[in-house]
Structures are given as structure tokens and as C-alpha cells.
């Protein structure tokens, strides 16, 4: 099953997709998110939810449910690095997506993530050790810092050649055009 316009685009143009970590509310910045900000953010998300749900259903045949609110996704990102090293990155990302958006599972929970990983053939002990690996944690934090430095502030987002940032969900046709232009010219919109 296809979950995004980027996946559709990859079927139409040659792409090398590399997943990078980005937490919307990283642990280190949580004090900035007071209760009033959180309440307003939740209201905005809930107001747009019917549109998100409709697009997912009409474009991808997905029935989404709102994921659990306020969970810490850092371990899921570290788990993605373990899955990458095991050669299962794409499958892991799809399973985490399904767990959060269709099954309403807590993707901050070690056991939930371990179950997802082992269902993909990743050895339990290796995965659990990876979740505690300080080097993988540092890699996740470094990717997040790099994302913020180029102006990324939300997801979904696509970064091309560490140079061009496309924020928000993009239609497949637009992405195909952008990637073709980059492949032909080495730039986008002459920049």
C-alpha cells in the first residue's frame, strides 16, 4: 500500500529517499510548549482533521484515526536507525505509520516498537540494544538540529540535496515536476 505522494513519485522518477528524524515537540524544548499553546495547537489540528482524513481516504485509500496526543517520538526515530542498519527502514516507517495513524498505538512505548521491529524480522535483543545506543540517539538529535537550521518546522517535508525544502504535503504531480527539473538542471526554479 502507498501512503504518500513521495512514494507515488518514486514510482515515476528515480529517487534515493533517505528518512531523517524530526520531532515536533522534542524533549529539550517541551518547556516552551505551555498548556495554552498545546491547547490551541490541538484545536487547530482537530479543525483540520476532517480534511486530512478525506485526503488520505480519497488519495490513498487509507482510513486514518487521530494518533495519540502528546507522545514522545524520539525512541521511534532511534528505532528507525536500528531498522535502517538492519536493511528494513522503509518497512519500519510504514509499520510505525500504521501503528500510530490506523491502530492508535503508543509509538513511544519500547514494547510497541519492539513488536513492530520483530514483526519485520529484526532481532529483538539487537533492536532493544539499538534503542539504548547513544550514538544512534546523537544521530537523531543531529538530524533534528540540521532540519531546524534549514527552516524545517513541521512534517511532512521533503528536502532535496540538503538545499531545497518543500514543506507540507505535496501533490504527486508537483513532486514529479520538481524532481525532473532538478535532475535536468541541477536546480529548482533557477536557484
Amino acid at each position: 500500500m502507498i501512503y504518500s505522494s513521495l512514494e507515488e513519485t518514486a514510482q515515476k522518477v528515480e529517487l534515493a529517499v533517505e528518512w531523517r528524524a524530526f520531532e515536533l515537540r522534542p524533549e529539550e524544548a517541551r518547556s516552551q510548549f505551555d498548556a495554552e499553546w498545546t491547547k490551541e495547537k490541538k484545536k487547530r489540528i482537530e479543525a483540520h482533521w476532517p480534511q486530512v482524513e478525506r485526503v488520505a481516504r480519497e488519495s490513498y485509500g487509507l482510513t486514518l484515526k487521530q494518533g495519540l496526543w502528546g507522545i514522545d517520538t524520539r525512541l521511534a526515530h532511534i528505532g528507525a536507525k536500528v531498522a535502517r542498519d538492519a536493511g528494513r527502514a522503509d518497512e519500519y516507517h510504514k509499520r510505525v505509520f500504521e501503528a500510530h495513524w490506523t491502530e492508535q498505538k503508543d509509538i513511544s512505548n519500547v514494547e510497541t516498537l519492539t513488536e513492530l521491529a520483530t514483526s519485520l524480522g529484526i532481532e529483538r535483543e539487537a533492536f532493544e540494544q539499538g534503542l539504548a545506543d547513544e550514538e544512534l540517539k546523537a544521530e537523531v538529535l543531529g538530524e533534528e538540529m540540521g532540519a531546524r537550521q534549514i527552516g524545517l518546522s513541521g512534517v511532512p517535508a521533503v528536502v532535496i540535496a540538503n538545499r531545497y525544502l518543500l514543506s507540507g504535503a505535496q501533490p504527486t504531480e508537483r513532486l514529479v515536476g520538481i524532481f525532473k527539473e532538478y535532475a535536468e538542471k541541477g536546480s529548482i526554479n533557477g536557484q
Side-chain angles (χ1 to χ4, degrees):
M1 179 168 279
I2 292 178
Y3 292 119
S4 71
S5 54
L6 184 61
E7 283 182 274
E8 284 184 331
T9 302
Q11 293 179 341
K12 298 177 181 189
V13 295
E14 188 175 332
L15 295 180
V17 176
E18 180 183 336
W19 290 88
R20 299 266 179 110
F22 185 78
E23 294 177 86
L24 294 172
R25 293 180 56 183
E27 182 180 310
E28 295 77 14
R30 291 225 175 103
S31 62
Q32 297 172 13
F33 304 109
D34 64 22
E36 192 59 34
W37 181 92
T38 300
K39 182 178 170 184
E40 289 303 312
K41 180 74 171 175
K42 191 173 183 180
K43 280 172 48 177
R44 284 195 304 268
I45 289 170
E46 288 173 348
H48 288 93
W49 184 252
Q51 178 183 353
V52 169
E53 197 174 37
R54 179 185 56 76
V55 169
R57 185 178 55 256
E58 291 174 3
S59 299
Y60 305 106
L62 299 173
T63 301
L64 297 185
K65 299 174 185 169
Q66 283 189 319
L68 300 176
W69 181 256
I71 62 170
D72 183 341
T73 61
R74 182 165 297 160
L75 274 182
H77 290 294
I78 295 169
K81 302 306 177 196
V82 179
R84 175 203 61 202
D85 293 347
R88 306 303 296 238
D90 289 339
E91 299 98 320
Y92 176 86
H93 283 282
K94 283 185 177 186
R95 277 301 294 131
V96 169
F97 179 93
E98 290 168 351
H100 183 72
W101 293 110
T102 66
E103 300 165 14
Q104 294 180 308
K105 289 186 177 181
D106 181 355
I107 60 168
S108 67
N109 179 277
V110 171
E111 189 56 36
T112 298
L113 294 172
T114 303
E115 286 174 16
L116 297 175
T118 58
S119 75
L120 301 172
I122 300 171
E123 201 274 323
R124 174 179 280 278
E125 188 175 330
F127 185 79
E128 289 173 342
Q129 287 175 353
L131 290 179
D133 187 303
E134 289 298 319
E135 287 181 24
L136 293 179
K137 178 181 176 183
E139 184 179 350
V140 165
L141 295 176
E143 287 178 3
E144 292 176 1
M145 183 172 33
R148 292 188 194 290
Q149 288 173 342
I150 63 168
L152 199 145
S153 61
V155 294
V158 174
V159 178
I160 302 169
N162 288 324
R163 190 169 157 199
Y164 303 101
L165 171 63
L166 305 172
S167 292
Q170 304 291 324
T172 301
E173 301 76 30
R174 181 166 191 259
L175 287 175
V176 168
I178 288 170
F179 283 112
K180 283 183 176 179
E181 179 181 352
Y182 183 77
E184 292 168 8
K185 299 178 182 177
S187 66
I188 298 171
N189 295 327
Q191 300 178 353

